[in-house]
């Protein structure tokens, strides 16, 4: 049975939550391996709509074990808020496992995230303000606080003190903020210890044993390839590894255990926050895509920037992730257009680039080279087979498959669980 990675092939919000949820009933474990509550996944089940941030989408499938891996950063307050909100809606959350090595987001890192953004001024990243960047920085700086630290008050206090020795200098002297109080922060974190204890596990061991036992595992990425700290549009990225490589470090499994890598990709492109975006539409068409696609952030409510499908990004994502399949989402949003442009290459200062320019400045200057495809007018939200799609929609999908370099195994035609056309089974 397979271990399947589901990740974002663009700048996030491709519909990963829906894609993961859809596999849910046939999956034994859904594992989040990167990011934190900067993610926002909308899953629609019948008349119910769920917005998940920190929790893996597998939490909505009875019988599936949701796992928060060591590569995730955990805001404990958000964790319990989300768990309580789901419980009150009748969702059984008792199966959740959390890695003892996952880092926690202390309140001072939320403060630092917001003040550093403010100080960056025009160079700001447009972060979600959830303390993600500072917490990953602490991890690399070896002053982070892990879930396992919550269970020994003395050690926890020492670690908080260690972190604040540096950070209070920065908060007070650079940002003119109040110093964080060591006792108060320790008490704040300690207050969650007993509640979180039953969920804590050696998740790497659990997952490897599950793989040995032939279980089906889905590794669900937060964020996306173009927001990956190594492979994305640095510095306009998040601070974790959202690409396939992140699965191994963020969940504690070896690369030989992964069978499939599925890239979720929208039939157009969106981005939240700052940074380059070659196919961005700043006109009425951009507004049309935003309105029709409901492109407003699940986490911060910000309007998403919108643009046409970018095959250069799709090919790049195929390369850095080793994609085996694409799930194309939101094809229905493109219904009703005379022509649908697709970016097949870039023009950078008069030179054609078929591949992602390695130089970041070149990417900032990239002008899309478009091919125009014929649109379709028929409502496609009821289509459940490829053949039911209008012929121009079929041609659009086949053209994207051709220019993207990875087969399109499923096509989203609406937000509902059922509104998907499956061409190849992702778990086969
Ligand atoms: P994620 O962060 O990748 O999980 O994606 P988000 O949940 O942030 O954003 C995707 C949005 O698109 C959600 O509101 C989904 O309900 C919706 N969605 C997913 N697939 C489709 C689709 O095929 N068609 C339409 N119209 N909406 C979709
Ligand atoms: P999902 O999982 C879209 C963006 C932020 C900002 C940058 C850094 O729903 O696809 P951060 O708070 O992570 O330090 O912000 O990354 N960003 C996302 N954009 N979808 C997401 O998650 C995102 N998570 C972070 O807008 O530009
Ligand atoms: Mg999202």
């Amino acid at each position: 049975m397979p271990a399947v990675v589901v990740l974002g092939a663009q700048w996030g919000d491709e519909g990963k939550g829906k894609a993961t949820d859809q596999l849910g009933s046939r999956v034994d474990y859904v594992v989040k391996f990167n990011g934190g509550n900067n993610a926002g996944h909308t899953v629609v089940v019948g008349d119910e709509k769920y917005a998940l941030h920190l929790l893996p989408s597998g939490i909505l499938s009875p019988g599936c074990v949701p796992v928060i891996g060591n590569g995730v950063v955990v805001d404990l307050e958000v964790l319990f808020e989300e768990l309580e909100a789901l419980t009150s809606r009748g969702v059984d959350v008792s199966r959740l496992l959390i890695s003892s090595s996952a880092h926690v987001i202390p309140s001072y890192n939320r403060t630092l995230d917001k003040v550093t953004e403010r100080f960056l001024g025009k160079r700001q990243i447009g972060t979600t303000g959830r303390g993600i960047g500072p917490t990953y920085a602490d991890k690399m700086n070896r002053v982070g606080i892990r879930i396992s630290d919550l269970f020994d008050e003395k050690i926890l206090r020492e670690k908080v003190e260690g972190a604040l020795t540096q950070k209070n200098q920065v908060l007070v002297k650079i940002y003119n903020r109040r110093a964080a109080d060591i006792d108060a922060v320790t008490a704040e974190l300690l207050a969650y210890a007993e509640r979180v204890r039953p969920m804590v596990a050696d998740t790497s061991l659990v997952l490897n044993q599950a793989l040995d036992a032939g279980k089906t595992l889905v590794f669900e990425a937060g964020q996306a390839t173009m927001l990956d700290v190594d492979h994305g549009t640095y510095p306009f990225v998040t601070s974790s590894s959202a690409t396939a490589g992140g699965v191994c470090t963020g969940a504690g499994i070896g690369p030989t255990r992964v069978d499939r890598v599925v890239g979720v990709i929208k039939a157009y492109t969106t981005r939240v926050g700052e940074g380059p975006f070659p196919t961005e539409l700043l006109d009425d068409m951009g507004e049309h895509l935003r309105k029709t696609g409901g492109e407003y952030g699940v986490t911060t409510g910000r309007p998403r920037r919108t643009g046409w499908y970018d095959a250069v990004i799709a090919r790049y994502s195929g390369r850095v992730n080793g994609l085996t399949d694409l799930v194309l989402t939101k094809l229905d949003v493109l219904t009703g257009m005379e022509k649908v442009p697709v970016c097949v290459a870039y023009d950078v200062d008069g030179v054609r680039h078929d591949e992602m320019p390695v130089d970041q400045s070149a990417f900032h200057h990239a002008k899309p080279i478009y091919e125009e495809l014929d649109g379709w007018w028929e409502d496609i939200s009821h289509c459940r087979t490829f053949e039911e799609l209008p012929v121009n929609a079929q041609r659009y999908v086949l053209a994207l498959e051709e220019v993207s370099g990875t087969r399109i195994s499923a096509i989203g035609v609406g937000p509902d669980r059922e509104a998907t056309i499956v061409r190849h089974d992702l778990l086969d």
Side-chain angles (χ1 to χ4, degrees), residues 107-108 157 160 164 168 178-188:
S107 50
Y108 49 79
R157 198 178 187 288
V160 171
L164 285 180
N168 274 340
R178 251 184 309 145
D181 181 74
I182 296 165
D183 291 330
V185 172
T186 307
E188 198 177 285

Side-chain angles (χ1 to χ4, degrees), residues 12-13 16 39-41 298 304:
D13 307 319
K16 299 175 290 288
H41 307 303
V298 181
R304 295 174 183 151

Side-chain angles (χ1 to χ4, degrees), residues 391-414:
V391 74
N392 282 350
Q394 293 187 19
R395 285 193 183 130
Y396 183 74
V397 173
L398 295 176
L400 293 195
E401 185 165 66
E402 174 78 29
V403 290
S404 305
T406 303
R407 71 176 184 177
I408 293 175
S409 295
I411 303 157
V413 291

